[in-house]
């Protein structure tokens, strides 16, 4: 044992013999990871039977930002159904949908944010497929549908 005085503190250093034998040291580390008897599986939050979760704009979200949609489908001459991936409410809600129509294109922008009701709420981080439907002023016709968040 060695004692050293450093800046008013006594520091002790000890040594207790040689390193452990090789066979004992090697036995503490497995050769390969253990097999998992019951692997963890996850299921999507939407199923082909159920489909995306329909939502409507709340208009009162905070920390609002643009969100890209993944699919736009005409469901009638003047209605477009949008689909996108989002988070769980009230942590992530659709605030508003902005539609800009011209003679050649329809630009649709989704805005999401956090609901004011989400105070003191734990937010889980999973993706949920959501959908909303917008009504146009004029029939879609041959106009191109464009994502305003791109």
């Amino acid at each position: 044992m060695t004692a050293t005085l450093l800046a008013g503190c006594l520091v002790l250093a000890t040594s207790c013999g040689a390193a452990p034998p090789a066979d004992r040291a090697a036995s503490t580390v497995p050769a390969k990871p253990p097999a998992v008897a019951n692997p963890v599986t996850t299921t999507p939050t939407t199923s082909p039977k159920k489909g995306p979760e329909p939502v409507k704009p709340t208009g009162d979200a905070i920390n609002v930002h643009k969100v890209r949609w993944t699919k736009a489908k005409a469901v009638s001459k003047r209605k477009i159904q949008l689909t996108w991936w989002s988070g769980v409410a009230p942590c992530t809600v659709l605030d508003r949908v902005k539609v800009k129509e011209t003679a050649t294109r329809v630009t649709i922008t989704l805005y999401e944010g956090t609901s004011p009701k989400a105070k003191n709420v734990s937010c889980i981080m999973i993706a949920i497929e959501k959908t909303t439907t917008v009504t146009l002023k004029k029939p879609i016709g041959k106009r191109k549908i464009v994502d305003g968040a791109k």
Side-chain angles (χ1 to χ4, degrees), residues 39-60:
V40 176
T41 59
T42 58
T43 56
T45 56
T46 60
S47 66
K49 295 175 187 173
K50 184 180 175 191
E53 177 185 334
V55 296
K56 293 186 179 196
T58 63
D60 64 350

Side-chain angles (χ1 to χ4, degrees), residues 96-112:
R96 66 185 184 274
V97 180
K98 181 181 171 186
V99 180
K100 182 181 175 185
E101 296 184 50
T102 68
T104 58
R105 65 176 22 180
V106 177
T107 304
I108 306 173
T109 310
L110 300 177
Y111 291 88
E112 283 191 337

Side-chain angles (χ1 to χ4, degrees), residues 17-129:
D23 61 333
R24 195 171 86 201
S27 67
T28 61
V29 179
K32 62 181 181 176
V36 178
N38 296 319
V40 176
T41 59
T42 58
T43 56
T45 56
T46 60
S47 66
K49 295 175 187 173
K50 184 180 175 191
E53 177 185 334
V55 296
K56 293 186 179 196
T58 63
D60 64 350
I62 54 177
N63 299 323
V64 176
H65 58 279
K66 294 178 183 180
V67 178
R68 295 174 103 178
W69 41 265
T70 55
K71 184 170 43 170
K73 178 174 107 177
V75 291
S76 74
K77 289 182 180 183
R78 293 184 50 221
K79 291 190 182 210
I80 306 292
Q81 182 182 36
L82 300 167
T83 305
W84 73 101
W85 287 96
S86 181
V88 177
C91 301
T92 307
V93 295
L94 179 63
D95 179 68
R96 66 185 184 274
V97 180
K98 181 181 171 186
V99 180
K100 182 181 175 185
E101 296 184 50
T102 68
T104 58
R105 65 176 22 180
V106 177
T107 304
I108 306 173
T109 310
L110 300 177
Y111 291 88
E112 283 191 337
T114 304
S115 171
K117 298 173 186 174
K119 291 181 180 178
N120 300 320
V121 173
S122 294
C123 297
I124 58 173
M125 300 296 287
I126 62 169
I128 295 177
E129 193 172 31

